[in-house]
Amino acid sequence: MLALYFDRELTLQELPLPQIGPAEALVRVQLAGICGTDLEILKGYHRFTGILGHEFVGVVEGPDKSPWLGRRVVGEITIACGACPRCQQGLRKHCQDRRVLGLLDRPGVFAQYVVLPEVNLHAVPEGLPEPTAVFTEPLAAALSVFEALPPKVSDPFLVIGDGNLGLLISWVLALRGAMVHLAGHHPEHLHLARPYGVHTFLASDLPPGDYALIVEASGAPGGLDLALKRIRAGGTIILKSTYAGYYPLDSALLVVPEVHLVGSRCGPFPAALRLLQQGWVDPRPLISRTFHLSQGLAAMTYARQSGVLKVLLDCR
Amino acid sequence: MLALYFDRELTLQELPLPQIGPAEALVRVQLAGICGTDLEILKGYHRFTGILGHEFVGVVEGPDKSPWLGRRVVGEITIACGACPRCQQGLRKHCQDRRVLGLLDRPGVFAQYVVLPEVNLHAVPEGLPEPTAVFTEPLAAALSVFEALPPKVSDPFLVIGDGNLGLLISWVLALRGAMVHLAGHHPEHLHLARPYGVHTFLASDLPPGDYALIVEASGAPGGLDLALKRIRAGGTIILKSTYAGYYPLDSALLVVPEVHLVGSRCGPFPAALRLLQQGWVDPRPLISRTFHLSQGLAAMTYARQSGVLKVLLDCR
């Protein structure tokens, strides 16, 4: 099968079909999405070697006896051991021996086929188009901000970053009725948040004042700089950005004003699928361009450009 | 002016126009909504005497110098003193010397005019029809469940009660992506939650199993009975129902399974207005019937019947 393989450099390769383990399913990938994290891996983040990619929608083609056979699916990206203390506590996403699709010790989805544990699969509701369903994973990641949100917190909330994740987060916070400010660098991206009632600002033009809640989803160190400048004493910064390299944190900026800095990662697939199915979130305006998998190298180069939002790979 | 006045019995009266105090506005009421709490007052709840009603939309007609003059408004129902320790801490809704529109020491809105502090007013966005805007107060009350929601809590959530408030709560929880179960007694009410993706059940047919989060909004003691039967150990029951009389609580049902029972009252008007303006919540299917204020006694009798949802009073 065709696959985008990274081993210090990215190449398009013809690889054997992956082996199906016990309680696993073979999924023929239909569409895959390129995430900012994939681009960070090219810069050395996670020191990953293998097939890239973790956002996908596909159809189960094996094994023959699978109850999932023939079904359209999306899949959670963490492969948990099920046996370690954290798994036993129900914290599978924090499994001590985890593998992560296209990110950590597990081949990803920028390929014609991928193998995933059945427990990771979620059926895609009938009628939900693939270019919508492929956003389930990033939308779930956006929804995970609710798990980090203090129950009583006054808005406006500030979301930093007008990439895919920042936009999705601004939308789901707006769906909760919150007043949301979104700061970014691309007027044409900020524009996509306005139908959701989000107030948008170029980061350089953000009005004065502090925020009780800031979500940092810019994917770059400058986002956390801005968050630390604008957070209210006692406020919460939810950190979604991951990138290669280190952030030089001045701990006094957290300690003195008693700021909560809360990391947030993967989120609930069922909730994401419900929002997509209801049409309350329509991610399709985020699609900048779709390339065929065979043009995967060009797609990655395209996705790296400033001002590009979601780039999809058609793997059929 | 015409008004619905309660003093052990309900009468329609011709009363003088209310006096406008400092920093207050005179509002000509357009539409008012009858709430379950109004019906409980007729049974003795709150021992209130005066003009009933707290859900409204209207137009500011005085004083002449008011910056609100001519604007369409909705209004928060708690009139805070601004001086007590709780007000000083920003907890105006818990003011120790509060008055509450049509509920506690303050004339309500089932009248042609009402006086409210300007600080209580919220402008109704242009284009939002009055029969939608009049739901701002109950929708805000529904949204207050978010303030009581633990950040990490697994769904499905159970909402008990298929009256106006139970339906609104099921809708706003669905808008957050949650899987929501709604239990009630009226198939024709439950039906109104399905467009939001809510799973509905007659209370007698609720599937087995417990819930980590239950919102009790039935307005009747039986709702809390059901909640206490179905709450998971360590779970949270958010209590929205208020009614005349006492609930005979067996404290062991809270203590042994370490259940959190959290009261929840008024909520954020700006968030409610945003959801109405975006059209994400359309409360108009909840309107059972609209009466003119002059038919207010008949309206209250009608509203008391089983199976009736929102009854509006046209006060123009």
Side-chain angles (χ1 to χ4, degrees):
Chain A
M1 67 172 187
L2 210 56
L4 265 187
Y5 195 91
F6 180 69
D7 183 6
R8 275 169 295 181
E9 64 176 351
L10 190 66
T11 49
L12 191 66
Q13 300 197 8
E14 188 66 39
L15 296 173
L17 271 193
Q19 297 291 315
I20 311 176
E24 290 190 331
L26 176 71
V27 178
R28 181 169 53 79
V29 181
Q30 295 173 299
L31 279 180
I34 298 175
C35 169
T37 308
D38 301 321
L39 303 174
E40 289 297 316
I41 285 174
L42 302 188
K43 298 187 207 161
Y45 176 69
H46 259 237
R47 301 174 185 278
F48 176 76
T49 298
I51 301 173
L52 277 183
H54 55 276
E55 302 176 2
F56 76 99
V57 55
V59 176
V60 175
E61 295 211 340
D64 288 344
K65 289 179 187 164
S66 170
W68 290 92
L69 202 66
R71 298 183 73 178
R72 272 196 321 162
V73 294
V74 289
E76 299 199 42
I77 71 175
T78 297
I79 291 101
C81 72
C84 75
R86 292 197 196 152
C87 283
Q88 294 295 321
Q89 290 161 40
L91 301 168
R92 293 175 63 90
K93 98 175 166 183
H94 299 295
C95 166
Q96 291 166 326
D97 193 28
R98 69 180 172 275
R99 289 143 196 258
V100 187
L101 212 55
L103 290 167
L104 186 67
D105 296 334
R106 182 90 186 192
V109 301
F110 294 167
Q112 290 178 292
Y113 289 91
V114 66
V115 163
L116 260 180
E118 288 182 341
V119 70
N120 284 48
L121 301 181
H122 294 264
V124 174
E126 209 176 325
L128 198 68
E130 281 93 27
T132 301
V134 72
F135 283 90
T136 305
E137 197 279 335
L139 178 57
L143 285 165
S144 74
V145 299
F146 290 135
E147 297 174 8
L149 209 59
K152 295 200 184 194
V153 56
S154 57
D155 56 14
F157 301 156
L158 174 64
V159 179
I160 299 174
D162 59 7
N164 292 295
L165 190 55
L167 286 163
L168 288 167
I169 291 167
S170 75
W171 299 354
V172 299
L173 288 172
L175 274 163
R176 220 184 96 133
M179 176 180 282
V180 183
H181 290 184
L182 175 66
H185 291 296
H186 304 92
E188 70 280 16
H189 296 183
L190 293 169
H191 185 73
L192 297 172
R194 288 195 206 128
Y196 291 78
V198 171
H199 297 252
T200 63
F201 304 92
L202 287 171
S204 52
D205 296 341
L206 199 61
D210 57 14
Y211 295 88
L213 184 97
I214 298 179
V215 185
E216 202 297 276
S218 71
L224 187 50
D225 289 338
L226 178 59
L228 287 167
K229 272 188 198 124
R230 288 307 189 91
I231 192 70
R232 182 173 304 172
T236 298
I237 299 172
I238 301 178
L239 193 61
K240 298 292 299 185
S241 294
T242 49
Y243 32 75
Y246 296 95
Y247 179 84
L249 177 68
D250 174 359
S251 69
L253 291 179
L254 295 180
V255 174
V256 177
E258 296 184 322
V259 164
H260 300 231
L261 184 61
V262 185
S264 167
R265 191 166 40 120
C266 303
F269 271 51
L273 285 166
R274 280 189 284 269
L275 292 182
L276 294 172
Q277 192 179 10
Q278 286 286 342
W280 288 324
V281 169
D282 181 359
R284 287 171 295 183
L286 299 178
I287 302 170
S288 289
R289 199 165 150 188
T290 302
F291 292 77
H292 191 264
L293 175 61
S294 61
Q295 303 300 314
L297 295 174
M300 293 292 277
T301 303
Y302 183 81
R304 264 201 297 266
Q305 293 176 86
S306 171
V308 170
L309 283 170
K310 184 60 69 186
V311 176
L312 298 181
L313 292 173
D314 191 329
C315 302
R316 286 168 286 206
Chain B
M1 67 171 187
L2 210 56
L4 263 187
Y5 195 90
F6 180 70
D7 184 5
R8 277 169 292 181
E9 63 174 352
L10 190 67
T11 50
L12 191 66
Q13 301 197 7
E14 189 66 37
L15 296 173
L17 272 193
Q19 297 290 315
I20 312 175
E24 290 190 333
L26 176 71
V27 178
R28 180 168 56 78
V29 181
Q30 296 174 299
L31 279 179
I34 298 175
C35 168
T37 308
D38 301 322
L39 303 174
E40 289 296 316
I41 284 174
L42 301 187
K43 299 189 208 160
Y45 177 69
H46 258 238
R47 302 173 184 281
F48 177 75
T49 297
I51 301 173
L52 279 183
H54 56 275
E55 302 177 2
F56 77 99
V57 55
V59 176
V60 176
E61 295 211 339
D64 289 345
K65 287 179 188 163
S66 170
W68 291 92
L69 202 66
R71 297 182 75 178
R72 270 197 321 163
V73 295
V74 288
E76 300 198 41
I77 71 174
T78 297
I79 291 101
C81 72
C84 75
R86 292 198 196 148
C87 283
Q88 295 294 322
Q89 291 161 38
L91 300 168
R92 293 175 63 90
K93 96 173 167 185
H94 299 294
C95 168
Q96 291 166 326
D97 193 27
R98 67 180 174 275
R99 289 144 195 257
V100 187
L101 213 55
L103 290 167
L104 186 66
D105 296 335
R106 182 90 188 190
V109 301
F110 294 167
Q112 290 178 292
Y113 289 90
V114 67
V115 164
L116 261 180
E118 289 182 342
V119 70
N120 283 48
L121 302 181
H122 294 264
V124 174
E126 211 177 324
L128 198 67
E130 281 93 29
T132 301
V134 72
F135 283 90
T136 305
E137 196 279 336
L139 179 56
L143 285 165
S144 74
V145 299
F146 290 136
E147 297 175 7
L149 208 61
K152 293 200 185 192
V153 56
S154 57
D155 56 16
F157 301 157
L158 174 64
V159 179
I160 299 174
D162 59 6
N164 292 295
L165 190 56
L167 286 163
L168 288 168
I169 291 167
S170 75
W171 299 354
V172 298
L173 288 172
L175 275 163
R176 218 184 98 133
M179 176 179 282
V180 183
H181 290 184
L182 176 66
H185 292 296
H186 304 91
E188 69 281 16
H189 296 183
L190 294 169
H191 185 72
L192 297 173
R194 289 196 204 125
Y196 291 78
V198 171
H199 297 252
T200 63
F201 304 92
L202 287 172
S204 52
D205 297 340
L206 199 62
D210 58 12
Y211 294 89
L213 184 98
I214 299 179
V215 186
E216 202 294 278
S218 70
L224 187 50
D225 289 338
L226 178 59
L228 288 167
K229 272 188 199 124
R230 288 308 189 88
I231 192 70
R232 180 173 304 171
T236 297
I237 299 173
I238 301 178
L239 193 61
K240 298 292 299 185
S241 295
T242 50
Y243 33 76
Y246 297 94
Y247 180 84
L249 177 68
D250 175 359
S251 69
L253 291 179
L254 294 180
V255 174
V256 177
E258 296 186 322
V259 164
H260 300 233
L261 183 62
V262 185
S264 168
R265 190 165 42 119
C266 303
F269 271 51
L273 286 167
R274 281 190 283 270
L275 293 182
L276 294 172
Q277 191 178 12
Q278 287 286 341
W280 289 324
V281 169
D282 181 359
R284 287 172 296 183
L286 299 178
I287 302 171
S288 288
R289 196 163 152 192
T290 302
F291 291 77
H292 190 263
L293 175 60
S294 61
Q295 303 300 315
L297 295 173
M300 293 293 278
T301 303
Y302 182 81
R304 264 200 297 264
Q305 295 176 83
S306 170
V308 171
L309 283 170
K310 185 60 70 186
V311 176
L312 298 181
L313 291 174
D314 192 328
C315 303
R316 286 168 286 202

